[in-house]
Amino acid sequence: MKIGIIGTGNVGSALGKGWAGQGHEVVFGTRQPESEKVQTLLAEMGQGVTAVSIPSAIEQADIIVLATLWNAVSDVAHAVNNWQGKIVIDATNPIAPGFQLAVGHTTSAAEQLATFLPGASVVKAFNSTGAENMVDPRYNGEPTTMFICGDDADAKATVTELAEALGFDVADVGNLEAARFIEPLAMVWINLAFKQGLGRNIAFKLVRR
Ligand SMILES: NC(=O)c1ccc[n+]([C@@H]2O[C@H](COP(=O)([O-])OP(=O)(O)OC[C@H]3O[C@@H](n4cnc5c(N)ncnc54)[C@H](OP(=O)(O)O)[C@@H]3O)[C@@H](O)[C@H]2O)c1
C-alpha cells in the first residue's frame, strides 16, 4: 500500500514517520521536494520514503493524505484530473482567523473536498488530535481514540487499519456527513490545549462498558 502525504508540516511528517516505521512505502507530495527542510525530513525517516511534486505523489499513491492548511485543499484537488479509485484521508481543519470554524452545521470541509474529487473515497481522519499524538497515541499505555467517518466502508476499513497501526483506537462516527461533528471536535481539542491552557499533551478517549 503506497501512501501519498500532501504536506510536510506537523501532521504530514508525524503520519509519515509512523507509517514508514511500520514498513509502508510513503511518498510526500510537496511544493519543494529538493528543499533542505524536505531533505532533512527524508533523512530522518530512512529508506522507503521519497518526496516528489504534488501531482506525482497523487498519481503514484493508492491512499492520499491531505495534510495541508485548509485553504490549500482546492489547489491540491485540482493538481491532477483523475482521482478515480483513490482513498483520500482528509486531516484538515477548516480554521478561519481567530480559531473559528470556517464551515459547519450544514456542510463540512470533508464534504466540500469530496465534491472536488469525483471517483475518490474521502475519509475524515487524523484531524481531532494533535500531531504529537499521531506519533505516539498511547497515554499510560492505553490507546486514545481516532474518530473517522466516510461513505465507503472499504475505505474506512483501510483507514482504520492505518490508524490502528499507529496505536489508535478507532471510532467510526458514520458517513461523510458526520465530518460536521468531527471537525468541531477538533476545535474542542484546540480550545482545551491553547485557550484553556492544558497544552498539547491531551487526547480524546472513548470509553465503553
Ligand atoms: N498541527 C496539528 O496538531 C494538527 C492536528 C490535526 C489536524 N491538523 C490540520 O492538519 C492540516 C495541516 O496542519 P499542520 O500543522 O501540519 O500544518 P503545517 O505544519 O503548516 O504544514 C502544512 C503543510 O502544507 C503544505 N502547504 C502549505 N501551503 C500549501 C499550498 N498552497 N499548496 C500545497 N501545499 C501547501 C506545506 O508543505 P510543503 O511546504 O512541503 O508543500 C506545509 O508544510 C491543517 O489543516 C490543520 O488544521 C493539524
Side-chain angles (χ1 to χ4, degrees), residues 7-12 30-31 37-38 54 67-70 72 75-76 91-93 95 126-127 129-131 134 200:
T8 57
N10 302 305
V11 171
T30 164
R31 295 167 296 174
K37 173 191 133 180
V38 172
I54 292 171
T68 66
L69 299 186
W70 182 62
D75 286 351
V76 173
T92 69
N93 281 309
I95 296 175
F126 303 111
N127 71 303
T129 199
M134 300 176 200
R200 300 188 60 93

